[in-house]
Amino acid sequence: MTSLLVADGRARCSWVGADPEYQRYHDEEWGQPLRGDRALFEKLSLEGFQAGLSWITILRKRPRFREVFAGFDPDVVAAFGDDDIERLMADAGIVRNRAKIEATIGNARIVREMPEGELDALLWSFAPADASRPRPRSMDDVAAVTPESTAMSKALRARGFRFVGPTTMYALMQSAGMVDDHFDGCWRVTPQPTASDSEETP
């Protein structure tokens, strides 16, 4: 399997393809550390909506998602009621899945009751400490589930969160920069210092 795709002079992870919006997302967002309760609540919600679909579908609908979910402000979304659910179910600009819509509202209510910063701290507590694992060369080298994503899923489910399965949570870990799964040779890879780089010059 080809690991890289070269476009506009840049080698990118092959899953990006030729879609300009996907390329922008890969270059500017995917794998970059994302912090903050609200930003991570949005990420958690959109990854839940993505379950069973392609991410490019969610990415193209993201502007509308942000509009109808009040910028994913947990306090606002937590107050959504039956009328809001029907409004969302009638909106062709998003994924009209009642279970996912209701889960997003329910998840917002959980986040609203958490102290400020706790969602951020909870999710990032599962980021692997060991950054020395081999960099993937293709999708064959990328895990779908890891012990960390399984533990994250279990912790969230224990609090009542929904649509937070281990596979979905690993996708969140990748996109939010908790792990770095850019392929070997991708232009987004941050070069690691070599032993000689770290030695002091006499």
Side-chain angles (χ1 to χ4, degrees):
M1 181 183 294
T2 303
S3 63
L4 298 172
L5 181 69
V6 179
D8 62 21
R10 286 176 167 172
R12 295 180 175 88
C13 305
S14 57
W15 54 262
V16 178
D19 186 283
E21 176 60 15
Y22 222 0
Q23 290 181 0
R24 184 210 61 76
Y25 173 73
H26 167 275
D27 292 355
E28 300 177 10
E29 297 185 54
W30 193 78
Q32 302 306 300
L34 182 68
R35 305 302 299 249
D37 290 348
R38 184 164 172 171
L40 287 168
F41 172 65
E42 175 183 308
K43 182 70 69 175
L44 185 76
S45 300
L46 292 178
E47 292 290 357
F49 274 104
Q50 186 270 337
L53 302 171
S54 66
W55 180 250
I56 189 61
T57 297
I58 302 301
L59 192 60
R60 288 169 178 160
K61 292 177 178 288
R62 185 170 64 172
R64 185 58 181 165
F65 268 112
R66 286 173 169 170
E67 288 179 21
V68 299
F69 278 98
F72 287 97
D73 183 332
D75 290 335
V76 177
V77 177
F80 282 6
D82 292 342
D83 289 346
D84 294 293
I85 293 173
E86 295 310 317
R87 167 179 61 85
L88 294 166
M89 284 295 296
D91 196 317
I94 65 168
V95 175
R96 293 179 288 181
N97 181 298
R98 185 177 297 272
K100 293 178 179 180
I101 290 170
E102 292 178 347
T104 301
I105 297 169
N107 291 347
R109 291 170 180 166
I110 298 169
V111 175
R112 180 181 59 181
E113 299 303 315
M114 297 169 70
E116 183 177 353
E118 185 172 340
L119 180 64
D120 179 294
L122 175 65
L123 296 180
W124 275 91
S125 71
F126 296 100
D130 183 7
S132 64
R133 62 179 185 161
R135 184 167 295 283
R137 293 180 176 274
S138 73
M139 287 303 298
D140 292 337
D141 299 328
V142 179
V145 176
T146 65
E148 292 85 3
S149 74
T150 300
M152 178 187 288
S153 173
K154 183 177 179 180
L156 290 170
R157 284 172 166 167
R159 289 172 178 254
F161 284 89
R162 289 179 286 166
F163 281 92
V164 291
T167 301
T168 299
M169 290 303 94
Y170 191 65
L172 181 149
M173 295 178 78
Q174 291 174 303
S175 62
M178 296 172 191
V179 295
D180 182 358
D181 276 343
H182 282 288
F183 293 173
D184 186 36
C186 174
W187 83 272
R188 284 299 309 168
V189 172
T190 302
Q192 298 299 311
T194 63
S196 59
D197 293 331
S198 62
E199 292 175 356
E200 295 183 3
T201 303

